[in-house]
Amino acid sequence: MIWIPSRIVTLTTDFGTRDPFVGVMKGRLLGRFPEVRVVDLTHEIVPHWPAEAGFWLSRSFEYFPAGTVHVAVVDPGVGTARDLIAVSGREQVFLAPDNGLLAPVVAAIRAVDIFRIDRAALQRLGIFRASATFHGRDIFAPLAAELAAWRCRAEELGPRITTLVPAWLDEPTVEVGAISGQVVTIDHFGNLITNIDA
Amino acid sequence: MIWIPSRIVTLTTDFGTRDPFVGVMKGRLLGRFPEVRVVDLTHEIVPHWPAEAGFWLSRSFEYFPAGTVHVAVVDPGVGTARDLIAVSGREQVFLAPDNGLLAPVVAAIRAVDIFRIDRAALQRLGIFRASATFHGRDIFAPLAAELAAWRCRAEELGPRITTLVPAWLDEPTVEVGAISGQVVTIDHFGNLITNIDA
Amino acid sequence: MIWIPSRIVTLTTDFGTRDPFVGVMKGRLLGRFPEVRVVDLTHEIVPHWPAEAGFWLSRSFEYFPAGTVHVAVVDPGVGTARDLIAVSGREQVFLAPDNGLLAPVVAAIRAVDIFRIDRAALQRLGIFRASATFHGRDIFAPLAAELAAWRCRAEELGPRITTLVPAWLDEPTVEVGAISGQVVTIDHFGNLITNIDA
């Protein structure tokens, strides 16, 4: 993939805004790459519900310029053995745990490359797992900074893989006179949001 | 109006922060003008209550430098025929639907120029109404980026007009021993906020 | 203290995000120093509870680069006679009212210099107390901008002092088989947060 970095990193989490954890991630991003522009997509994902994060991200990425790095951290499995992945497509990169979160993004883009982030790649970038529980701060933020600064590329992060943890929600099905989808979340105005597109 | 752009765009909406819509507007702003500095005034305006947005904006703009562009999207009429307007004054520009939202700003500045944004001007800037319902993303964000980047000026956006949809709230009235105002909103600390200034 | 400015200013307040007061502070910051990068730590501190602000700040500052300026405004005494202070240590500067807020930061860094901000220093920087009640906008924001722009240093802000208003919470005590601490706040996920570190 050839791309020009936009210097933009978006953040999608279930961290909320009461505590300083999002701010701390931004400190790490700016510390590694002072020219980064950080955009909050949302930090109000329903806690431990990756499906909502992937849904919103799959409906949002197209409004960002080529070269944008998207970080999504909704991670019920943090602290256990699960992979971290990088998905590249449409000249953008998506970083998330391999827990089904990025399935809607992969379905939307179709032509993607997927890489399993390995420890050796992180070490080459000077990124070490300082904590067992805050990978947003200790891994995703510095990694996104390196990608946004164009100091590494997604394909250098680890081996290419072809299978992902499956999506949390089924894609909508269309039959004669009927469409079936699933409720993803409730929006700011109290509307139920389903995964059926207009 | 002669002004030096501050590269600042402020956002005032009733979108909330649960959904990624504000983030998507920022993607559009940064895509058009990578040097923009976006400041959130608030996204917690009472839904469909333009009076609160205009009230806060009229109390906030003076703390921003000359050249700032303010975008306010509280738009109960979205999807229907209503105009979009640009108000320029005090070396700043304000963009909003013509629904009474900007009346408190006009009252505060007094010497303003008001322009009705026309389709031809938008087309010259490469801005097309992609959706019927998300003008914040499809019109206001790219337009604010163009203004903030100093690639167009308010007076190029359409014909000058002299009448606006009236304010939602009456200005306070002062009589001997009595001042009458109206409640605009409730603040973070639970205080009722009226439009009576100290 | 010798340091290179990171151009980062963090904000920690109890202002919430319903009202535009945080946005107005950012207007002031950008007006004085257009290159500033503002990071919100949190604006959801329990109103008038400086202990929580100091707690989160003391757990967050180490993730920011040298040269960062931290502003914390949780100020039950605003409008009364209380000092404003600047604490410098670990190549960072912390600005807050002298109300015990910064005690956890001082305890965490240990080797700090503390200065009482005096009126003469503010006047030299062109900062005047425009209001009796919004020192975040009228004093802290412009002062943080000057420090972040490296146009003044903490030691120029007033006399060095050695005593502070004491902390709101006692440091945890450790006895054989028992640790005693205090509850600081409740986090986004509903957990009680104490001041006992792992």
Side-chain angles (χ1 to χ4, degrees), chain A residues 103-146:
Chain A
V105 171
V106 172
I109 299 184
R110 290 163 192 273
V112 297
D113 295 301
I114 309 175
F115 305 93
R116 192 180 69 235
I117 299 168
D118 67 18
R119 192 168 293 222
L122 294 174
Q123 287 181 339
R124 280 196 305 274
L125 296 167
I127 299 170
F128 304 95
R129 300 198 182 201
S131 82
T133 56
F134 196 176
H135 290 167
R137 177 191 70 200
D138 295 330
I139 298 178
F140 286 113
L143 186 52
E146 296 298 316

Short mmCIF file of all heavy atoms in Angstrom, two decimals, chain A residues 103-146:
data_model
loop_
_atom_site.label_atom_id
_atom_site.label_comp_id
_atom_site.label_asym_id
_atom_site.label_seq_id
_atom_site.Cartn_x
_atom_site.Cartn_y
_atom_site.Cartn_z
N ALA A 103 -14.33 -6.57 12.04
CA ALA A 103 -15.05 -7.30 10.99
C ALA A 103 -15.93 -6.40 10.13
O ALA A 103 -15.93 -6.52 8.90
CB ALA A 103 -15.86 -8.44 11.61
N PRO A 104 -16.68 -5.44 10.71
CA PRO A 104 -17.50 -4.57 9.85
C PRO A 104 -16.65 -3.68 8.93
O PRO A 104 -17.09 -3.35 7.82
CB PRO A 104 -18.29 -3.71 10.84
CG PRO A 104 -18.28 -4.48 12.13
CD PRO A 104 -16.97 -5.20 12.15
N VAL A 105 -15.46 -3.32 9.36
CA VAL A 105 -14.57 -2.52 8.52
C VAL A 105 -14.07 -3.37 7.36
O VAL A 105 -14.06 -2.93 6.20
CB VAL A 105 -13.39 -1.97 9.34
CG1 VAL A 105 -12.35 -1.32 8.44
CG2 VAL A 105 -13.89 -0.98 10.40
N VAL A 106 -13.66 -4.59 7.66
CA VAL A 106 -13.19 -5.49 6.60
C VAL A 106 -14.31 -5.75 5.60
O VAL A 106 -14.10 -5.75 4.39
CB VAL A 106 -12.67 -6.80 7.23
CG1 VAL A 106 -12.36 -7.84 6.15
CG2 VAL A 106 -11.43 -6.53 8.08
N ALA A 107 -15.53 -5.95 6.10
CA ALA A 107 -16.67 -6.19 5.21
C ALA A 107 -16.95 -4.97 4.33
O ALA A 107 -17.35 -5.11 3.17
CB ALA A 107 -17.91 -6.55 6.03
N ALA A 108 -16.74 -3.78 4.87
CA ALA A 108 -17.02 -2.56 4.10
C ALA A 108 -15.97 -2.30 3.04
O ALA A 108 -16.28 -1.84 1.94
CB ALA A 108 -17.12 -1.36 5.04
N ILE A 109 -14.71 -2.59 3.36
CA ILE A 109 -13.62 -2.28 2.42
C ILE A 109 -13.39 -3.42 1.44
O ILE A 109 -13.03 -3.23 0.31
CB ILE A 109 -12.31 -1.96 3.19
CG1 ILE A 109 -12.52 -0.74 4.09
CG2 ILE A 109 -11.17 -1.72 2.21
CD1 ILE A 109 -11.27 -0.29 4.81
N ARG A 110 -13.56 -4.64 1.90
CA ARG A 110 -13.37 -5.86 1.12
C ARG A 110 -11.88 -6.11 0.81
O ARG A 110 -11.32 -7.07 1.30
CB ARG A 110 -14.19 -5.85 -0.17
CG ARG A 110 -15.69 -5.99 0.14
CD ARG A 110 -16.56 -5.59 -1.01
NE ARG A 110 -17.94 -5.47 -0.59
CZ ARG A 110 -18.80 -6.48 -0.57
NH1 ARG A 110 -18.42 -7.68 -0.97
NH2 ARG A 110 -20.03 -6.30 -0.16
N ALA A 111 -11.24 -5.24 0.02
CA ALA A 111 -9.85 -5.50 -0.34
C ALA A 111 -8.93 -4.95 0.74
O ALA A 111 -8.57 -3.78 0.72
CB ALA A 111 -9.53 -4.86 -1.69
N VAL A 112 -8.60 -5.79 1.70
CA VAL A 112 -7.75 -5.34 2.80
C VAL A 112 -6.56 -6.29 2.93
O VAL A 112 -6.57 -7.42 2.45
CB VAL A 112 -8.50 -5.32 4.15
CG1 VAL A 112 -9.65 -4.32 4.12
CG2 VAL A 112 -8.99 -6.72 4.52
N ASP A 113 -5.54 -5.78 3.61
CA ASP A 113 -4.45 -6.63 4.08
C ASP A 113 -4.51 -6.63 5.60
O ASP A 113 -4.72 -5.58 6.21
CB ASP A 113 -3.10 -6.09 3.61
CG ASP A 113 -2.98 -6.13 2.09
OD1 ASP A 113 -3.08 -7.24 1.54
OD2 ASP A 113 -2.80 -5.06 1.49
N ILE A 114 -4.32 -7.84 6.16
CA ILE A 114 -4.42 -7.97 7.61
C ILE A 114 -3.10 -8.51 8.15
O ILE A 114 -2.55 -9.47 7.59
CB ILE A 114 -5.57 -8.92 8.00
CG1 ILE A 114 -6.87 -8.51 7.28
CG2 ILE A 114 -5.78 -8.92 9.51
CD1 ILE A 114 -8.02 -9.48 7.51
N PHE A 115 -2.61 -7.90 9.20
CA PHE A 115 -1.34 -8.32 9.79
C PHE A 115 -1.51 -8.56 11.28
O PHE A 115 -2.19 -7.79 11.97
CB PHE A 115 -0.28 -7.23 9.56
CG PHE A 115 -0.12 -6.88 8.12
CD1 PHE A 115 -0.83 -5.83 7.55
CD2 PHE A 115 0.71 -7.64 7.30
CE1 PHE A 115 -0.71 -5.52 6.21
CE2 PHE A 115 0.83 -7.34 5.94
CZ PHE A 115 0.12 -6.28 5.40
N ARG A 116 -0.92 -9.64 11.77
CA ARG A 116 -0.91 -9.90 13.21
C ARG A 116 0.32 -9.19 13.79
O ARG A 116 1.45 -9.46 13.38
CB ARG A 116 -0.84 -11.40 13.49
CG ARG A 116 -1.12 -11.72 14.96
CD ARG A 116 -1.07 -13.20 15.26
NE ARG A 116 0.30 -13.69 15.16
CZ ARG A 116 0.67 -14.69 14.39
NH1 ARG A 116 -0.22 -15.35 13.66
NH2 ARG A 116 1.93 -15.07 14.34
N ILE A 117 0.11 -8.29 14.70
CA ILE A 117 1.21 -7.50 15.25
C ILE A 117 2.04 -8.39 16.16
O ILE A 117 1.51 -8.99 17.10
CB ILE A 117 0.65 -6.29 16.03
CG1 ILE A 117 -0.16 -5.40 15.07
CG2 ILE A 117 1.77 -5.51 16.70
CD1 ILE A 117 -0.99 -4.33 15.77
N ASP A 118 3.34 -8.49 15.86
CA ASP A 118 4.16 -9.37 16.70
C ASP A 118 5.11 -8.59 17.58
O ASP A 118 5.41 -7.43 17.35
CB ASP A 118 4.85 -10.46 15.88
CG ASP A 118 5.90 -9.94 14.93
OD1 ASP A 118 6.37 -8.80 15.10
OD2 ASP A 118 6.25 -10.68 14.00
N ARG A 119 5.54 -9.27 18.62
CA ARG A 119 6.34 -8.63 19.66
C ARG A 119 7.66 -8.09 19.11
O ARG A 119 8.14 -7.03 19.53
CB ARG A 119 6.60 -9.64 20.77
CG ARG A 119 7.18 -9.04 22.02
CD ARG A 119 7.14 -10.02 23.17
NE ARG A 119 5.76 -10.30 23.55
CZ ARG A 119 5.34 -10.40 24.81
NH1 ARG A 119 6.21 -10.26 25.80
NH2 ARG A 119 4.08 -10.65 25.09
N ALA A 120 8.23 -8.80 18.15
CA ALA A 120 9.52 -8.36 17.61
C ALA A 120 9.38 -7.00 16.91
O ALA A 120 10.24 -6.12 17.05
CB ALA A 120 10.06 -9.40 16.62
N ALA A 121 8.28 -6.84 16.18
CA ALA A 121 8.06 -5.57 15.49
C ALA A 121 7.91 -4.44 16.50
O ALA A 121 8.46 -3.34 16.32
CB ALA A 121 6.82 -5.66 14.59
N LEU A 122 7.16 -4.71 17.56
CA LEU A 122 6.99 -3.68 18.58
C LEU A 122 8.33 -3.31 19.21
O LEU A 122 8.64 -2.14 19.43
CB LEU A 122 6.01 -4.15 19.65
CG LEU A 122 4.56 -4.35 19.17
CD1 LEU A 122 3.71 -4.96 20.29
CD2 LEU A 122 3.96 -3.02 18.72
N GLN A 123 9.14 -4.34 19.47
CA GLN A 123 10.43 -4.05 20.11
C GLN A 123 11.33 -3.24 19.20
O GLN A 123 12.05 -2.36 19.66
CB GLN A 123 11.10 -5.36 20.52
CG GLN A 123 10.40 -5.98 21.74
CD GLN A 123 11.04 -7.27 22.20
OE1 GLN A 123 11.74 -7.93 21.45
NE2 GLN A 123 10.75 -7.65 23.44
N ARG A 124 11.28 -3.52 17.90
CA ARG A 124 12.09 -2.70 16.97
C ARG A 124 11.70 -1.23 17.05
O ARG A 124 12.51 -0.34 16.82
CB ARG A 124 11.90 -3.19 15.53
CG ARG A 124 12.71 -4.41 15.18
CD ARG A 124 12.81 -4.61 13.65
NE ARG A 124 11.51 -4.66 13.01
CZ ARG A 124 10.76 -5.76 12.86
NH1 ARG A 124 11.20 -6.92 13.31
NH2 ARG A 124 9.60 -5.71 12.26
N LEU A 125 10.41 -0.98 17.35
CA LEU A 125 9.93 0.40 17.45
C LEU A 125 10.08 0.95 18.87
O LEU A 125 9.65 2.07 19.15
CB LEU A 125 8.46 0.47 17.03
CG LEU A 125 8.19 0.12 15.56
CD1 LEU A 125 6.69 -0.09 15.33
CD2 LEU A 125 8.71 1.21 14.63
N GLY A 126 10.67 0.16 19.75
CA GLY A 126 10.84 0.64 21.12
C GLY A 126 9.56 0.64 21.93
O GLY A 126 9.39 1.45 22.83
N ILE A 127 8.66 -0.28 21.58
CA ILE A 127 7.38 -0.36 22.29
C ILE A 127 7.36 -1.64 23.12
O ILE A 127 7.48 -2.74 22.57
CB ILE A 127 6.21 -0.35 21.29
CG1 ILE A 127 6.23 0.95 20.48
CG2 ILE A 127 4.87 -0.52 22.01
CD1 ILE A 127 5.27 0.96 19.29
N PHE A 128 7.21 -1.49 24.43
CA PHE A 128 7.23 -2.64 25.32
C PHE A 128 5.94 -2.66 26.13
O PHE A 128 5.41 -1.61 26.48
CB PHE A 128 8.46 -2.58 26.23
CG PHE A 128 9.73 -2.47 25.46
CD1 PHE A 128 10.31 -1.22 25.21
CD2 PHE A 128 10.33 -3.59 24.91
CE1 PHE A 128 11.46 -1.11 24.46
CE2 PHE A 128 11.49 -3.48 24.15
CZ PHE A 128 12.06 -2.24 23.92
N ARG A 129 5.45 -3.84 26.43
CA ARG A 129 4.20 -3.94 27.18
C ARG A 129 4.45 -3.59 28.64
O ARG A 129 4.70 -4.45 29.47
CB ARG A 129 3.62 -5.35 27.11
CG ARG A 129 3.33 -5.79 25.71
CD ARG A 129 2.40 -6.97 25.67
NE ARG A 129 2.22 -7.35 24.26
CZ ARG A 129 1.22 -8.05 23.82
NH1 ARG A 129 0.29 -8.48 24.64
NH2 ARG A 129 1.12 -8.33 22.53
N ALA A 130 4.36 -2.31 28.94
CA ALA A 130 4.64 -1.88 30.30
C ALA A 130 3.59 -2.40 31.26
O ALA A 130 3.87 -2.70 32.41
CB ALA A 130 4.71 -0.36 30.36
N SER A 131 2.37 -2.50 30.80
CA SER A 131 1.31 -2.97 31.69
C SER A 131 0.59 -4.13 31.02
O SER A 131 0.60 -4.28 29.81
CB SER A 131 0.32 -1.85 31.99
OG SER A 131 -0.62 -1.74 30.94
N ALA A 132 -0.08 -4.93 31.83
CA ALA A 132 -0.86 -6.03 31.28
C ALA A 132 -2.25 -5.56 30.88
O ALA A 132 -2.97 -6.27 30.21
CB ALA A 132 -0.97 -7.14 32.31
N THR A 133 -2.63 -4.38 31.30
CA THR A 133 -4.04 -4.01 31.17
C THR A 133 -4.32 -2.74 30.37
O THR A 133 -5.46 -2.49 30.01
CB THR A 133 -4.66 -3.80 32.56
OG1 THR A 133 -3.88 -2.82 33.26
CG2 THR A 133 -4.69 -5.10 33.33
N PHE A 134 -3.32 -1.93 30.08
CA PHE A 134 -3.62 -0.68 29.38
C PHE A 134 -2.85 -0.63 28.06
O PHE A 134 -1.94 0.16 27.87
CB PHE A 134 -3.28 0.52 30.28
CG PHE A 134 -3.89 1.83 29.81
CD1 PHE A 134 -3.74 2.98 30.55
CD2 PHE A 134 -4.63 1.91 28.62
CE1 PHE A 134 -4.30 4.20 30.13
CE2 PHE A 134 -5.18 3.12 28.19
CZ PHE A 134 -5.01 4.26 28.95
N HIS A 135 -3.26 -1.52 27.15
CA HIS A 135 -2.59 -1.59 25.85
C HIS A 135 -2.88 -0.36 25.00
O HIS A 135 -2.11 -0.06 24.10
CB HIS A 135 -2.98 -2.89 25.14
CG HIS A 135 -2.40 -4.09 25.80
ND1 HIS A 135 -2.80 -5.37 25.53
CD2 HIS A 135 -1.44 -4.20 26.76
CE1 HIS A 135 -2.11 -6.23 26.27
NE2 HIS A 135 -1.30 -5.54 27.03
N GLY A 136 -3.97 0.33 25.26
CA GLY A 136 -4.22 1.59 24.56
C GLY A 136 -3.09 2.57 24.74
O GLY A 136 -2.63 3.19 23.79
N ARG A 137 -2.65 2.69 25.96
CA ARG A 137 -1.56 3.62 26.28
C ARG A 137 -0.19 3.05 25.90
O ARG A 137 0.65 3.76 25.35
CB ARG A 137 -1.57 3.89 27.79
CG ARG A 137 -0.46 4.79 28.28
CD ARG A 137 -0.39 4.78 29.81
NE ARG A 137 0.08 3.49 30.30
CZ ARG A 137 -0.11 3.03 31.54
NH1 ARG A 137 -0.78 3.74 32.42
NH2 ARG A 137 0.36 1.85 31.89
N ASP A 138 0.02 1.77 26.18
CA ASP A 138 1.37 1.21 26.10
C ASP A 138 1.72 0.65 24.73
O ASP A 138 2.90 0.55 24.40
CB ASP A 138 1.55 0.13 27.17
CG ASP A 138 1.46 0.72 28.56
OD1 ASP A 138 1.82 1.90 28.72
OD2 ASP A 138 1.02 0.02 29.49
N ILE A 139 0.72 0.28 23.94
CA ILE A 139 1.01 -0.30 22.62
C ILE A 139 0.32 0.48 21.50
O ILE A 139 0.98 0.95 20.58
CB ILE A 139 0.57 -1.79 22.57
CG1 ILE A 139 1.36 -2.59 23.61
CG2 ILE A 139 0.78 -2.35 21.16
CD1 ILE A 139 0.97 -4.04 23.69
N PHE A 140 -0.99 0.62 21.58
CA PHE A 140 -1.71 1.22 20.44
C PHE A 140 -1.30 2.68 20.21
O PHE A 140 -1.11 3.08 19.05
CB PHE A 140 -3.22 1.13 20.65
CG PHE A 140 -3.78 -0.24 20.45
CD1 PHE A 140 -4.31 -0.96 21.51
CD2 PHE A 140 -3.77 -0.83 19.19
CE1 PHE A 140 -4.83 -2.24 21.32
CE2 PHE A 140 -4.29 -2.11 19.00
CZ PHE A 140 -4.82 -2.81 20.07
N ALA A 141 -1.19 3.47 21.27
CA ALA A 141 -0.87 4.88 21.06
C ALA A 141 0.52 5.06 20.44
O ALA A 141 0.66 5.74 19.42
CB ALA A 141 -0.99 5.67 22.37
N PRO A 142 1.57 4.45 21.00
CA PRO A 142 2.87 4.63 20.34
C PRO A 142 2.91 4.04 18.94
O PRO A 142 3.54 4.62 18.03
CB PRO A 142 3.86 3.93 21.29
CG PRO A 142 3.04 3.14 22.26
CD PRO A 142 1.68 3.77 22.30
N LEU A 143 2.23 2.92 18.72
CA LEU A 143 2.23 2.31 17.40
C LEU A 143 1.51 3.20 16.38
O LEU A 143 1.99 3.40 15.25
CB LEU A 143 1.56 0.94 17.49
CG LEU A 143 1.58 0.06 16.26
CD1 LEU A 143 2.98 -0.10 15.70
CD2 LEU A 143 0.98 -1.31 16.61
N ALA A 144 0.38 3.76 16.78
CA ALA A 144 -0.34 4.67 15.88
C ALA A 144 0.52 5.89 15.56
O ALA A 144 0.52 6.39 14.43
CB ALA A 144 -1.66 5.10 16.51
N ALA A 145 1.25 6.37 16.56
CA ALA A 145 2.13 7.53 16.31
C ALA A 145 3.20 7.18 15.26
O ALA A 145 3.47 7.97 14.36
CB ALA A 145 2.79 7.97 17.62
N GLU A 146 3.78 5.99 15.38
CA GLU A 146 4.81 5.59 14.41
C GLU A 146 4.24 5.48 13.00
O GLU A 146 4.85 5.91 12.02
CB GLU A 146 5.44 4.26 14.83
CG GLU A 146 6.20 4.30 16.15
CD GLU A 146 7.40 5.25 16.11
OE1 GLU A 146 8.14 5.23 15.11
OE2 GLU A 146 7.57 6.01 17.07
#
